[in-house]
Amino acid sequence: MFVKTFPEVTADPGIRRQVLSDSPDLMVVAFRFQQEGTEGKLHNHPHVQSTYVESGRFRFTIDGETFDVSPGDSFVIPSNALHGCVCLEPGTLVDTFTPRRDDFL
């Protein structure tokens, strides 16, 4: 079967996460930030991550460099880079990971 439905879960306080699609080599995930000031805590992982800002505004930090993003912006986070964000305006980030984040299943 090609189409799967995944439940939305709480990732952190104020953040909902939903896997949109996955395969062993690729995963697409929506992160819904529900209020201003909510933080995606600094972390790293071996996966390469691409982030697309569907809605809202966010301040990201990647390996000590900080920048703001808004709808339509996208960027890549290298493998093992320390990164996180602060929600400036509620919205949704769509992340892709390669390979798949097995810890999200």
Side-chain angles (χ1 to χ4, degrees):
M1 175 168 212
F2 290 99
V3 178
K4 297 182 202 173
T5 302
F6 297 90
E8 188 174 84
V9 299
T10 299
D12 279 313
I15 304 172
R16 304 286 294 165
R17 178 181 75 221
Q18 184 177 22
V19 173
L20 302 177
S21 60
D22 83 305
S23 76
D25 298 319
L26 181 69
M27 176 178 268
V28 181
V29 182
F31 289 89
R32 296 178 179 93
F33 287 72
Q34 300 170 320
Q35 59 191 27
E36 181 180 335
T38 300
E39 292 187 39
K41 297 178 182 116
L42 284 173
H43 65 286
N44 66 348
H45 45 72
H47 313 83
V48 174
Q49 174 179 332
S50 174
T51 296
Y52 171 75
V53 183
E54 180 179 290
S55 60
R57 291 186 326 105
F58 300 86
R59 179 162 294 139
F60 267 84
T61 300
I62 301 174
D63 280 344
E65 183 180 337
T66 300
F67 56 96
D68 290 358
V69 293
S70 56
D73 290 340
S74 63
F75 53 93
V76 172
I77 300 171
S79 176
N80 293 312
L82 186 63
H83 62 283
C85 69
V86 175
C87 178
L88 303 175
E89 179 182 299
T92 300
L93 300 172
V94 177
D95 292 346
T96 57
F97 299 94
T98 184
R100 167 178 64 204
R101 293 278 309 252
D102 290 333
D103 56 322
F104 287 178
L105 295 176

